[in-house]
Amino acid sequence: MRASLAPSIGVACTAALVLPLALPSGVAAAAQASPPQAASRHAEPRPGAPRDGAAVPGSTQSLPLTGGGADRTGGVTTEQGSAQRAVRPFSLLGAVWDDAAAELRGTVQVRTRATGTHSWSGWRDLETRPQEHGADPGSEERGSVTVRGATAPLWVGDSDGVAIRVRGTGEAATAGRSRAPLPQGLPQGLRLDLVDPGQGPAGGGAGGDGDDPPVPLTLEETASWAVNADLVKMGATEIPALSKKETEAGLTGSAKPYIGGRPRIVTRKGWGADETLRETEFGYTATVRAAFVHHSATGNNYSCEEAPSVLRGIYRYHVESSGWRDLGYNFAIDTCGNIYEGRAGGVAEPVMGAHTLGFNVNSVGIAVLGTYSSTDPPAAVTTAIAKLTAWKLGLHGIDPRGKVALTSGGSNKYQKGTEVRLNAISGHRDGFATDCPGSRLYEKLGPIRTSSATYQGR
């Protein structure tokens, strides 16, 4: 479906605003008068009896929002929401709208109730600028009719109650210089998506040992494994680490490469990816010249044991809510430094991601699970980034300390067709005007480049 396809064999973190805890009056009244019903998209169970140790499919509930306030001069809806209500259990959420090109200029805030309790959280902000992620403008993935606008997802843990308020605060452009700016209406089709990540397979996740699979593989799981077949046996939950010497021995060519040892990587099987969600084809780019580092902006209230669940939630949100072909990131790293395989297609291959709008070609996207705008990343995280980039960039002869030339596919920072020289290890903000990967993580990229080069033997 994308450039160089091979057929399958099978943003920032915003500060909390000090606002009243009640919904806008118009929204609250509308919600009480006619409470919206949540639509549900469940993964259908596969035919046959349940398999011992098999993953439990997740699901997505969609809760439409009710209109509230309207601007008197512009006649556009500027407030929407839903009052506190009980819902089926979920762990991750985000606001979604119809047009991926439409901006939500305003604030989106949610509060949730922990499952089985009467305890409600305070209001929390969702990042509202989806344009910084996703497939490049003009690509087939970007042009798909399923692609939608969406906030960054937020991990809230096991919850069974939710409320949301959306307030438009931006201003639309005016036709004449003499007229005052008109309020910016909210995008059409606003809804709140609530994601249940389901359960991963027994023995999977960050602690998987890579032994024989406990259950048979489906056709889709077999396809996902096959592109890593040279690295790991069928059904393994992790790709084992190799030393630098072992990694070099597996490469072709007479010249001694500068490359780091392959790090341990939890496979998609290991973190419980539902392979029936993604598109059946894998998309590739020509090579990998740069690595873009991100934070997922999903918050830091997760344990390393929960990281596979967080990743399953983001994956389902990217595919079912945002309408992407697969998880946007090529790799993910949790707070303990565990590395996870991201978008399917093979960890050693130049898989085309949807992580840095305008610069997905000839790059790899690495997302650190969490928010690092005001929180320092643990040493385990920076070490994992350095080791992963030493190996991944080394496969393509790239010095992590160097500069590389990339051509912009179009972003809010560089016009389409502009040739840009960027660090081989860059932050998302280097290609797009955004806070990502958070100031505290971004300031660590210099030392990470040095460490990565050292791991390569430079």
Side-chain angles (χ1 to χ4, degrees), residues 166-420:
V166 184
R167 286 174 169 153
T169 58
E171 294 181 338
T174 59
R177 295 182 180 179
S178 60
R179 295 181 58 190
L182 295 176
Q184 173 72 43
L186 297 175
Q188 296 295 311
L190 264 175
R191 69 177 194 248
L192 177 65
D193 273 12
L194 310 174
V195 179
D196 171 9
Q199 296 179 12
D209 58 12
D211 287 340
D212 292 336
V215 294
L217 298 185
T218 65
L219 180 63
E220 296 86 1
E221 289 170 338
T222 301
S224 184
W225 159 78
V227 287
N228 289 319
D230 291 342
L231 310 180
V232 70
K233 57 189 175 183
M234 180 179 289
T237 58
E238 66 176 53
I239 297 170
L242 295 179
S243 67
K244 177 175 170 58
K245 184 177 181 180
E246 290 171 327
T247 301
E248 291 172 348
L251 301 176
T252 59
S254 57
K256 181 180 179 181
Y258 289 103
I259 188 170
R262 186 184 72 203
R264 171 182 170 273
I265 302 170
V266 178
T267 64
R268 288 170 65 91
K269 175 70 174 176
W271 57 263
D274 181 350
E275 299 294 356
T276 64
L277 290 180
R278 63 169 175 81
E279 292 188 4
T280 57
E281 294 181 320
F282 304 132
Y284 299 95
T285 185
T287 186
V288 173
R289 295 177 184 164
F292 284 99
V293 177
H294 305 254
H295 66 175
S296 63
T298 47
N300 301 321
N301 61 330
Y302 72 93
S303 66
C304 294
E305 290 73 22
E306 291 177 309
S309 295
V310 176
L311 196 53
R312 289 195 303 275
I314 296 172
Y315 169 45
R316 185 172 289 273
Y317 187 77
H318 280 182
V319 176
E320 288 198 329
S321 300
S322 298
W324 299 353
R325 65 186 310 274
D326 195 347
L327 180 69
Y329 308 115
N330 298 104
F331 295 94
I333 297 173
D334 68 23
T335 191
C336 291
N338 295 303
I339 300 172
Y340 300 84
E341 178 184 12
R343 180 167 286 208
V347 297
E349 303 300 324
V351 177
M352 175 81 80
H355 48 82
T356 306
L357 190 107
F359 291 97
N360 291 306
V361 174
N362 297 335
S363 71
V364 61
I366 302 168
V368 180
L369 301 179
T371 304
Y372 294 98
S373 299
S374 58
T375 301
D376 288 328
V381 165
T382 56
T383 298
I385 297 173
K387 288 184 175 180
L388 177 58
T389 52
W391 173 68
K392 187 68 177 180
L393 293 178
L395 290 173
H396 300 271
I398 301 297
D399 184 343
R401 302 165 302 181
K403 299 276 188 177
V404 296
L406 296 175
T407 301
S408 173
S411 74
N412 67 353
K413 195 167 185 176
Y414 298 104
Q415 292 185 349
K416 184 175 182 178
T418 303
E419 184 174 292
V420 184

Side-chain angles (χ1 to χ4, degrees), residues 52-129:
D52 291 339
V56 177
S59 64
T60 301
Q61 303 173 66
S62 291
L63 179 64
L65 307 188
T66 57
D71 178 75
R72 295 180 180 179
T73 58
V76 295
T77 300
T78 57
E79 295 178 358
Q80 288 188 9
S82 176
Q84 291 182 184
R85 57 170 293 169
V87 293
R88 289 191 308 277
F90 69 97
S91 297
L92 179 141
L93 56 73
V96 182
W97 54 94
D98 293 341
D99 185 359
E103 292 187 51
L104 197 165
R105 298 185 180 180
T107 60
V108 180
Q109 295 184 307
V110 295
R111 62 186 315 201
T112 56
R113 183 182 63 194
T115 296
T117 74
H118 299 288
S119 176
W120 285 84
S121 71
W123 289 102
R124 285 176 281 187
D125 293 290
L126 300 185
E127 168 56 45
T128 59
R129 294 190 302 170

